Amino acid sequence: MPELPEVETIVRGLAPLITGQQIQEVEIHKAKVIACPEPSAFAELVKGRTIERLQRRGKYILMELSGGVTMVIHLRMTGQLVYYTDPAPPPKHTHLVLRLAQGWLRFTDPRQFGRVLAVPASELDRVGGLKDLGPEPLDPRFTEKELCRLVNGRKQKIKALLLDQRVLAGMGNIYTDEALYLAGIHPDRPAAELTARETKALYSAVKKVLDEGIAFGGTSVRDYVDAHGVEGRFQKMLKVYGKKGEPCPCCGTPIARTVCAGRGTYFCPRCQNKKCEVRGQW
């Protein structure tokens, strides 16, 4: 699933290409991807409007249109949002096409889990999932003190807590594993047990892996591509995710895999020992 860095990369790539363009035609090839209103009403609502601004909230793409309407796009597991300037036939699994004044914006999704909706901007706070999001980890207002508040007294495993979008918006399986590795924290540790030193290390690690993920254009381990259809490069920088059996970059111990919060989880048994604090790289 595209996580914060992937969605941010898509938004940054699309913004200069489509901002200011008018949506001239709407083609819906798979009705189920339109969450609301019903497909014909969706097409009527967005057609003719100008794209005024793109932004990201958690893993959601928000496309602000003229007349006070916002299109909300969630890519889920395998969704892609790619801009084309040629009129070639759309690729397989294309479910929504927006014909713009100078190109086409195509939403494709092999597994059909992604969703698109359009609502008056004044009703965004009523959109399920979006309205319940926690703070943005890259927001300057998200401080180390705020992370301490979020973990304090929580009995959840720290990985489960970081994956909870109501606690912290945008974190997913890949970047959570990488951040916990950099901080030297075992994914099964109860959040409430983290020391002040560990919480500080985790705060720095979360910021670092997200910033690097964006800098390298996101992580392509399956279907993710950016606004131009190009794969990311951060998969080449991963330390533990997907590395079961490979030597830890720090100590050489084979990377282990377990299941935490229902997700495949990768960690170093030595560097992220349940009883140790931080391994000192910070």
Side-chain angles (χ1 to χ4, degrees):
M1 173 187 290
E3 302 178 25
L4 187 156
E6 288 74 50
V7 179
E8 182 67 22
T9 299
I10 291 170
V11 168
R12 292 185 186 186
L14 281 178
L17 299 173
I18 68 174
T19 301
Q21 291 209 54
Q22 184 188 58
I23 300 174
Q24 297 186 342
E25 296 290 342
V26 179
E27 301 174 14
I28 300 172
H29 301 294
K30 181 70 68 174
K32 67 181 288 186
V33 305
I34 307 299
C36 79
E38 59 90 22
S40 61
F42 171 90
E44 184 177 347
L45 180 62
V46 304
K47 182 179 177 180
R49 297 184 188 271
T50 299
I51 301 169
E52 295 185 337
R53 183 187 180 195
L54 260 72
Q55 59 178 322
R56 178 195 57 77
R57 178 72 172 102
K59 301 177 186 179
Y60 293 83
I61 297 171
L62 305 180
M63 185 184 298
E64 298 178 9
L65 308 178
S66 58
V69 171
T70 299
M71 190 183 305
V72 181
I73 304 167
H74 198 311
L75 301 175
R76 298 286 175 86
M77 294 294 293
T78 58
Q80 298 177 350
L81 196 62
V82 179
Y83 178 72
Y84 296 84
T85 55
D86 63 84
K92 188 178 181 180
H93 306 300
T94 297
H95 306 315
L96 173 66
V97 179
L98 303 180
R99 183 167 70 80
L100 308 178
Q102 300 176 21
W104 292 261
L105 186 62
R106 295 168 176 165
F107 173 72
T108 64
D109 186 4
R111 299 189 67 178
Q112 303 178 25
F113 293 150
R115 292 294 181 266
V116 182
L117 61 91
V119 295
S122 59
E123 296 181 11
L124 273 177
D125 59 357
R126 297 172 56 187
V127 176
L130 184 62
K131 65 182 179 64
D132 300 319
L133 290 176
E136 291 283 337
L138 293 182
D139 191 318
R141 293 170 294 182
F142 180 70
T143 62
E144 183 183 322
K145 183 178 180 180
E146 177 68 4
L147 181 60
C148 288
R149 184 189 68 79
L150 292 174
V151 303
N152 186 40
R154 299 288 190 113
K155 296 181 180 180
Q156 286 175 282
K157 295 175 180 179
I158 185 59
K159 174 161 183 178
L161 189 71
L162 293 176
L163 288 177
D164 189 338
Q165 300 301 295
R166 298 167 298 179
V167 174
L168 201 58
M171 293 294 288
N173 209 32
I174 296 173
Y175 295 93
T176 296
D177 281 2
E178 292 294 305
L180 289 171
Y181 170 75
L182 287 180
I185 299 171
H186 195 286
D188 281 345
R189 288 274 303 281
E193 290 185 5
L194 297 188
T195 66
R197 185 172 176 230
E198 287 174 317
T199 304
K200 179 178 181 179
L202 180 59
Y203 176 80
S204 298
V206 166
K207 295 273 191 178
K208 180 179 176 64
V209 298
L210 293 178
D211 280 336
E212 289 185 347
I214 294 170
F216 283 88
T219 303
S220 294
V221 293
R222 292 185 183 86
D223 300 275
Y224 163 72
V225 294
D226 67 13
H228 302 275
V230 178
E231 291 187 347
R233 306 181 307 283
F234 193 63
Q235 63 273 14
K236 300 176 182 178
M237 310 297 292
L238 298 174
K239 303 294 193 299
V240 292
Y241 183 82
K243 304 289 185 179
K244 180 182 177 181
E246 297 184 25
C248 167
C250 182
C251 72
T253 301
I255 298 299
R257 182 187 186 278
T258 187
V259 176
C260 181
R263 309 295 298 276
T265 299
Y266 300 86
F267 67 101
C268 173
R270 182 176 180 184
C271 293
Q272 294 169 265
N273 188 291
K274 288 185 179 182
K275 296 183 180 179
C276 73
E277 260 201 5
V278 180
R279 61 185 179 213
Q281 70 179 62
W282 296 100

